[in-house]
Amino acid sequence: MTRVHISRERNSTLVKKKKAAALRQHGCLACEVCGFDFLQTYGERGREIIECHHTLPISSLGEHGKTNLKNLALVCSNCHRMIHARRPWWSIDDAKAALNGANGSRTQS
């Protein structure tokens, strides 16, 4: 049995533009959920390391839909994993709220 599949490629140029815009605006590539910055934590090895998350699932764009910079968010790998941990996927705001709620409920020792 053969299955016909429509594949949508991710645009690495758009990811580079998103990173460049963040560097111009903020001077770093920090996670939009938790603020983690790979360069600050790991030094030179962490330069330009960050994941790019589609805030609108590609599947929702339709056959001819295009992703633009406002539909992308820069997130660390941990936050990206939590966003996609189960359906329905979290929005960036959902992830921030969960993180803030968890941090607010932790006890200090």
Side-chain angles (χ1 to χ4, degrees):
M1 181 194 308
T2 303
R3 186 189 319 190
V4 177
H5 176 80
I6 296 174
S7 176
R8 307 257 333 244
E9 294 294 323
R10 303 209 187 299
N11 186 338
S12 62
T13 302
L14 195 57
V15 171
K16 288 176 186 171
K17 287 180 181 179
K18 179 67 176 181
K19 288 181 177 183
L23 284 169
R24 277 192 310 276
Q25 184 176 4
H26 305 293
C28 66
L29 296 178
C31 176
E32 293 180 34
V33 175
C34 71
F36 185 84
D37 181 338
F38 284 89
L39 178 62
Q40 183 179 2
T41 303
Y42 293 106
E44 193 57 34
R45 187 177 185 114
R47 182 173 298 284
E48 296 188 25
I49 302 295
I50 193 91
E51 295 188 14
C52 197
H53 168 69
H54 289 80
T55 59
L56 293 176
I58 292 176
S59 61
S60 73
L61 296 176
E63 187 176 341
H64 300 291
K66 299 273 185 193
T67 301
N68 56 45
L69 290 182
K70 71 178 183 177
N71 301 129
L72 298 175
L74 298 178
V75 294
C76 72
S77 46
N78 284 343
C79 289
H80 203 195
R81 179 72 175 131
M82 290 306 300
I83 287 168
H84 288 287
R86 39 180 100 71
R87 289 184 186 254
W89 293 334
W90 279 348
S91 68
I92 297 298
D93 288 339
D94 292 337
K96 285 180 184 179
L99 180 65
N100 290 334
N103 286 338
S105 67
R106 290 185 182 149
T107 58
Q108 299 289 328
S109 38

